[in-house]
Amino acid sequence: MSGGPRVRFAPSPTGYFHVGSARTSLYNWLFARKMGGTFVLRIEDTDTERNRREWLDGICESMAWLGLNWDEGPYLQSERRPDHIAALQRLHSQGDAYYCDCVREEVDKRNEANGRKTPGYDGFCRDRGLEAGEGRALRFKVGAGDPVVVHDLIRGDVVFERDTLDDFVIAKPDGSPLFVLANTVDDISMRITHVIRGEDLLPSTPKGMLVYRALTDAEYPAFAHLPMLVNEKRQKLSKRRDPVAIEDYRSKGFLPEAMVNYLALLGWSPGNDREILPLAEMVTEFKIERVNHSPAFFDVAKLEHFNGEYIRALSVEDFLSRAEPYLREGYSEAQHYVGSFESGIVGFKQIAPLVQERVSKLSDAWPMADFLFVEDDSVAYDSAAWEKVMVNGKVAAAGMLSGAVELFELGDWDAEALKSATSSVGEKLGLKLGKAQAPLRVAITGKTVGPPLFEAMVALGRESVLSRLKSAQEKLGG
RNA sequence: GGUCCCAUCGUCUAGUGGCCUAGGACACCACCCUCUCAAGGUGGAGACACGGGUUCGAACCCCGUUGGGACUGCCA
């Protein structure tokens, strides 16, 4: 493939894969797919203090899970160090960079003494002609000249006067290249044509452009700065205080297609009133110019709704296979009272469609169906449910249980028959079906809510149901 | 403090000068459906931050104010 645009997603592996990073990655991916371009994955791991191999693996796994396949990479920025060093040397020898031995405190003190309004670096070492040495960082010389204009595909032109740009550091005293340098050098050598990234990087873009021009006459890449994702306090999502790890959403039972769909709509809309749309359609509809300017709140409630929609759209077989790992997890964490997983799953398969339309996350399946996995004498009664239905409504509950035990012994064992049997027991007690089924539900599932009761009874089998009704009777009587 | 970005219902958004008494979705409320819970259906409440311009006409264009945010690191 040549000729098409080249974009890159360039995360730094310093933690779990962030929903904001996922959104950035997705937009790059959509753009590349839409334009028939190339999507490059580049890992910016130059900060050796904070980077860890496991985070890198996490990024790759999460991207694969979301279906964001990359065409090149992952390239490790750390392995491109020779290129960066060469660029550094070239900038220095060209006179575009100089060594500086100022420390923070000195600069601050000078700025204060000079009453300088912009408290950044003051250019103290610019003309001192220092050579490389201990404690000497390399700074890029911004100098005078025309303002730097970032042509942003989303925001239009953003103008930066050069005197508002400090001479920024491009290499540490030990020679390590820093972000703006490494990032720019890599974009040049990877022939990146479109830089699509978070708005937090907008202030560093003019600096990158200066480095870019000092290193090559090639045309600048086009830039597109995506609006931030924010929390309820409208602040940039933070790994420390906000629930942002893609891994966590995955383990809670969110579907990758729902996640991608939701993320795509955070800052972009196809323009008609459609929200739920398949990936392929997002690709054809995607236009980077249509991305919003303002920050978006990551609303888990809406994500859950999307997830529910996607779960309900699954075939039953697909739902079953996707839900099974979550059932296994619930099962293994509840081992103190469960029976065999295999027998439970047999029952689950029978009511799967009924569960499917009631959950918004795959992890909701276990609490809704755990009664299928427990031994008949170990139903875990929810204490509030027992109190409300069995204790407060003791007379009705006792009547329902004994009536049901009597009727369920004989007769057809299907949902319709069980429903009418329950109705008739209820009628004798002056109870409508809604009230009548409650004690049976608690006796059988331990809860007041769950999948449709009569189908659940069928899945459980006559023997188990009778046994559970009798256990409840005993507990109630005793 | 400085530089830059942003501003439509609580939230995500549609809207690119007349189609807007501003549309959709989530959340919320009510009702219907109903064996519980969901799902579904119907209805409801709910927004153009403010002030000036420009124009026959402004949510849309310009300026200002206010508010929010990002950056301001020898992190990325």
Side-chain angles (χ1 to χ4, degrees), chain A residues 186 299 341 447:
Chain A
D186 288 355
D299 186 0
F341 183 80
K447 298 169 186 170

Side-chain angles (χ1 to χ4, degrees), chain A residues 98-99 121-129 141-143 166-167:
Chain A
Y98 60 89
Y99 286 98
Y121 182 66
D122 61 353
F124 185 77
C125 297
R126 193 177 301 155
D127 302 310
R128 291 175 66 203
K141 190 193 291 180
V142 174
D166 298 327
D167 287 351

Side-chain angles (χ1 to χ4, degrees), chain A residues 65-82:
Chain A
W65 179 67
L66 291 169
L68 305 179
N69 56 315
W70 53 93
D71 306 309
E72 287 182 23
Y75 296 119
L76 296 185
Q77 193 162 63
S78 56
E79 290 175 357
R80 306 183 35 74
R81 192 179 166 104

Side-chain angles (χ1 to χ4, degrees), chain A residues 356-426:
Chain A
Q356 184 178 359
E357 61 185 79
R358 284 172 172 74
V359 295
S360 62
K361 301 189 293 293
L362 294 172
S363 58
D364 294 338
W366 172 256
M368 187 166 289
D370 59 352
F371 66 92
L372 292 167
F373 295 79
V374 304
E375 298 286 8
D376 294 333
D377 57 2
S378 318
V379 173
Y381 303 112
D382 174 77
S383 57
W386 183 271
E387 184 74 18
K388 181 184 171 201
V389 175
M390 300 301 213
V391 177
N392 296 347
K394 185 160 183 174
V395 177
M400 282 309 303
L401 290 173
S402 63
V405 166
E406 203 175 308
L407 273 188
F408 291 176
E409 290 278 6
L410 303 165
D412 291 341
W413 194 252
D414 59 66
E416 211 41 52
L418 289 167
K419 183 176 178 180
S420 58
T422 303
S423 285
S424 69
V425 177

Side-chain angles (χ1 to χ4, degrees), chain A residues 71 80 84 89 115 123 147 225 240 260 336 384 401 409-410 470:
Chain A
D71 306 309
R80 306 183 35 74
H84 305 149
Q89 286 169 346
H225 289 92
R240 286 192 54 192
V260 163
H336 50 289
L401 290 173
E409 290 278 6
L410 303 165
K470 287 170 187 164

Side-chain angles (χ1 to χ4, degrees), chain A residues 55 76 104 128 131 158 160 200 207 214 231 237 254 311 333 343 357 366 395 414 422 442:
Chain A
W55 300 136
L76 296 185
R104 184 98 200 150
R128 291 175 66 203
E131 285 304 313
V158 183
F160 294 86
D200 49 344
K207 297 176 181 178
N231 61 21
L237 288 180
F254 285 92
I311 285 179
E333 284 171 6
S343 65
E357 61 185 79
W366 172 256
V395 177
D414 59 66
T422 303
V442 172

Side-chain angles (χ1 to χ4, degrees), chain A residues 269-309:
Chain A
S269 144
N272 45 34
D273 281 333
R274 291 194 60 200
E275 292 201 313
I276 305 283
L277 62 167
L279 238 202
E281 211 162 315
M282 287 185 229
V283 170
T284 60
E285 294 295 318
F286 189 75
K287 289 187 186 68
I288 193 77
E289 304 80 16
R290 275 190 58 88
V291 172
N292 281 164
H293 299 183
S294 47
F297 171 61
F298 186 84
D299 186 0
V300 180
K302 187 151 183 174
L303 205 211
E304 286 206 25
H305 173 261
F306 273 41
N307 205 52
E309 295 270 356

